[in-house]
Amino acid sequence: MSINDTYITRYSPNGIWYGQFTHFPDFVTQAVSTRFGGYSQNNDLNLALHTGDNTEHVIKNRTKFCHAVGSSIEHIVTPQQVHGERIVYVTEADRGRGAWNYADAISDCDALITDRPNVALFLCFADCVPVLFVDPVNHAIGLSHAGWKGTAKKIGQKTLLQMQKRFGTKPKNCLVGIAPSIGACCYEVDDYVADEFRKEYSSLDTILMPSTEEGKYHLDLWQANQLQLEEIGVPSDNIAIADICTACNAKILFSYRAEQGKTGRIAALLAIKE
Ligand SMILES: [Zn+2]
């Protein structure tokens, strides 16, 4: 796992490692987990309730992780992610939704936004791209789940446009973090996936690179997410890419591809402090 000046790894005394974007302001609590320090099999910190893991272990993992990063399981709000494009505004009334029980998570939802303090947006990932948004002017935040489908449908761009509508967020002020997820190095796709990007993106040079195999491509989800945000006016300097591939680092993070679908989930947590 590489460490660069835009994304750093921190260690909490209770045994949790997590990443943070260095350009995010202090009024947010932010953390992207790793697999270390949990109660699941092999001491994994699986943070998802829907992967067939022991529910009690996941709740203990969530409690420990939230505590380590300065939040609390009572504050988290989490959706049932479906690779769609529904974005939901959440408030104090939603705290705890999906925290202990998958059934009461926000259904059919792949991005959350809020301007309320101590409402911790919490989404789960294994290769899909976590996109974190901080509006330092209006004190508002957003968090999107962008797999290939969400990235093709520009869920990140749509999340920011929702923040603009609801909070007055200006793209030129918004800070964005693209957290660890599968890199182009390990993400080979076929024409079925490539076609969805050809439909939505005018410039594909940095997104789809030919593979050595005919009809296969290396898809760069990080660049695609960056590009769709620049398209609506986010300055490139405001966008930090962690540049850490989950498949290359499957022993540290979780990778759906590298582990053939049998794996846990890391989580990204983002909240406004009181
Ligand atoms: Zn890789």
Side-chain angles (χ1 to χ4, degrees):
M1 193 150 98
S2 72
I3 310 256
N4 53 50
D5 56 3
T6 57
Y7 188 78
I8 55 164
T9 305
R10 291 189 184 281
Y11 177 71
S12 134
N14 71 350
I16 298 288
W17 288 91
Y18 60 99
Q20 287 189 323
F21 290 98
T22 54
H23 69 320
F24 279 177
D26 281 344
F27 75 84
V28 296
T29 300
Q30 51 147 337
V32 180
S33 67
T34 66
R35 40 191 316 166
F36 301 136
Y39 298 92
S40 301
Q41 207 176 0
N42 305 319
N43 300 322
D44 271 346
L45 187 83
N46 170 36
L47 292 171
L49 285 167
H50 66 285
T51 60
D53 199 350
N54 178 309
T55 300
E56 256 177 60
H57 290 168
V58 176
I59 291 170
K60 280 172 86 174
N61 291 343
R62 286 179 166 189
T63 305
K64 186 176 177 182
F65 170 69
C66 290
H67 180 71
V69 306
S71 185
S72 137
I73 190 168
E74 283 83 12
H75 289 172
I76 70 174
V77 183
T78 189
Q80 295 176 3
Q81 299 159 213
V82 292
H83 299 278
E85 48 189 312
R86 195 164 89 93
I87 299 148
V88 176
Y89 170 60
V90 292
T91 67
E92 291 87 339
D94 300 298
R95 277 182 195 151
R97 284 197 63 185
W100 300 276
N101 182 340
Y102 189 69
D104 72 19
I106 294 175
S107 62
D108 177 26
C109 168
D110 286 273
L112 298 173
I113 59 173
T114 193
D115 57 351
R116 308 301 306 153
N118 291 334
V119 176
L121 313 183
F122 187 97
L123 271 64
C124 295
F125 303 87
D127 290 341
C128 290
V129 185
V131 189
L132 291 75
F133 299 87
V134 178
D135 172 354
V137 176
N138 300 288
H139 280 217
I141 54 172
L143 175 59
S144 315
H145 164 240
W148 76 261
K149 287 181 183 164
T151 303
K153 290 175 192 152
K154 301 188 179 175
I155 179 125
Q157 185 184 96
K158 288 170 182 167
T159 303
L160 180 43
L161 292 173
Q162 277 298 314
M163 290 174 67
Q164 185 169 40
K165 213 164 142 187
R166 194 173 271 274
F167 313 127
T169 300
K170 289 196 170 77
K172 69 172 175 138
N173 299 326
C174 195
L175 304 172
V176 180
I178 296 175
S181 39
I182 198 160
C185 43
C186 295
Y187 200 35
E188 207 173 54
V189 299
D190 55 16
D191 275 305
Y192 175 79
V193 173
D195 279 346
E196 295 303 313
F197 284 81
R198 292 184 182 115
K199 271 186 236 165
E200 302 291 340
Y201 289 82
S202 49
S203 162
L204 292 162
D205 301 353
T206 58
I207 300 176
L208 275 178
M209 279 72 63
S211 162
T212 46
E213 209 182 318
E214 177 81 28
K216 299 266 186 170
Y217 311 86
H218 285 278
L219 174 58
D220 193 329
L221 294 172
W222 304 338
Q223 286 301 324
N225 278 287
Q226 165 138 8
L227 211 67
Q228 62 180 266
L229 294 168
E230 286 175 6
E231 239 170 45
I232 56 166
V234 182
S236 62
D237 284 353
N238 287 17
I239 305 170
I241 298 179
D243 201 22
I244 294 167
C245 169
T246 41
C248 287
N249 297 285
K251 289 196 164 74
I252 299 168
L253 302 154
F254 293 108
S255 172
Y256 193 85
R257 256 206 184 195
E259 300 170 272
Q260 285 85 41
K262 288 194 195 105
T263 188
R265 299 288 183 276
I266 58 168
L269 180 151
L270 188 61
I272 298 167
K273 291 176 186 164
E274 189 78 80

